[in-house]
Every structure is written in C-alpha cells, then in structure tokens.
C-alpha cells in the first residue's frame, strides 16, 4: 500500500513538472540555448560561408596570426615559408597550396596548422578571401 502511494505521488510530481500546455510542446521541446534565427551566425544550421567581402587586414590576418605565426616566422620551424605579411600570405594561397593544406581533415598528412584543424568558420573566411580576389584592405 505504501509503495502505491509513493509511486502515485512520484508520478504526479513528474507529470506536473512541464510548463507546457500542449502535447506538441512536450513531444518536441525547443532548446532555449539553441539559436533558431537563420540570420544568427552561431546557429548550427546557418551556412558558414560569409556573405560580405573579405579582406586580409579586416578578416584574415587575425586568423593567420592565431593559427600560423607560431611556426611560420623568422627563427621558427617553418621560417622557410613565412606568413607574417599580406604579401607572404597571398603568395602562399596563390602558389604554395595554403588553401588545400588548411582544408585537409584531421589526421591527414600535410594538415595545417599542425596542432589541429582550425575551425570551419575560419577556413571558410580564408577561402572566401581567395574567392573575393585576395584583397588587402
């Protein structure tokens, strides 16, 4: 008898936890932490390809500085291919396969940066910079 009363109370407590009034809300709840605005860049369903014109100074330099400079500068392991200036990065895209190297998947030989694949959003920005004509400013 006590088990029945306890189970009934527990069932009633769990059943009353929902603040929803409809079956649809209970069956397919929305996650308030997941953005649903299609113009929100953090929405996982939003394409990561940027729509504005990308420039080296405004968009790409910070990505290169954060992901490449630690090796690709004077006195470092990849000093033979410096990526410190606009001209050096542009040349690496045009003739040294930089785009191919950053687009490799984790575990593939030749992936750059060697510490691990950078975010797809950053890769998309560098690719779009190339598509937009490798503009400096």
């Amino acid at each position: 008898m006590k088990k029945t009363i306890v189970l009934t109370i527990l069932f009633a407590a769990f059943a009353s936890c929902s603040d929803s009034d409809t079956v649809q809300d209970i069956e397919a709840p929305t996650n308030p932490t997941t953005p649903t605005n299609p113009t929100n860049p953090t929405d996982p369903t939003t394409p990561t390809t940027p729509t504005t014109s990308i420039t080296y100074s405004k968009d790409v330099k910070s990505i290169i500085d954060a992901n490449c400079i630690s090796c690709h500068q004077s006195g470092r392991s990849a000093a033979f291919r410096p990526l410190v200036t606009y001209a050096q990065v542009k040349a690496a895209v045009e003739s040294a396969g930089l785009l191919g190297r950053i687009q490799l998947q984790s575990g593939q030989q030749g992936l750059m940066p060697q510490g691990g694949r950078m975010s797809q959003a950053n890769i998309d920005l560098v690719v779009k910079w190339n598509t937009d004509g490798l503009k400096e400013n």
Side-chain angles (χ1 to χ4, degrees):
M1 180 74 169
K2 287 183 182 180
K3 285 184 181 179
T4 305
I5 293 173
V6 171
L7 288 175
T8 303
I9 291 171
L10 285 175
F11 178 75
F14 286 125
S16 66
C17 288
S18 175
D19 62 349
S20 174
D21 294 332
T22 67
V23 172
Q24 289 83 7
D25 289 343
I26 294 170
E27 290 176 350
T30 57
N31 182 351
T33 61
T34 302
T36 56
N37 182 348
T39 61
N40 184 338
T42 60
D43 186 339
T45 61
T46 302
T48 57
T49 305
T51 56
T52 60
S53 182
I54 304 302
T55 67
Y56 176 78
S57 300
K58 178 177 59 105
D59 305 292
V60 176
K61 183 178 184 334
S62 62
I63 295 169
I64 299 299
D65 289 351
N67 293 283
C68 308
I69 292 297
S70 62
C71 296
H72 290 273
Q73 65 177 316
S74 179
R76 300 300 182 135
S77 61
F80 63 91
R81 172 69 63 202
L83 297 174
V84 178
T85 67
Y86 162 75
Q88 292 167 338
V89 176
K90 180 181 177 188
V93 169
E94 292 176 326
S95 61
L98 180 101
L99 293 180
R101 301 282 300 267
I102 66 172
Q103 293 181 77
L104 292 172
Q105 297 302 312
S106 293
Q108 287 185 296
Q109 187 170 352
L111 170 68
M112 288 291 153
Q114 288 183 343
R117 193 168 196 265
M118 69 175 83
S119 74
Q120 188 62 48
N122 285 345
I123 293 169
D124 291 345
L125 278 169
V126 177
V127 169
K128 185 154 184 351
W129 175 57
N130 180 55
T131 303
D132 287 351
L134 302 170
K135 299 173 187 167
E136 184 173 10
N137 295 313

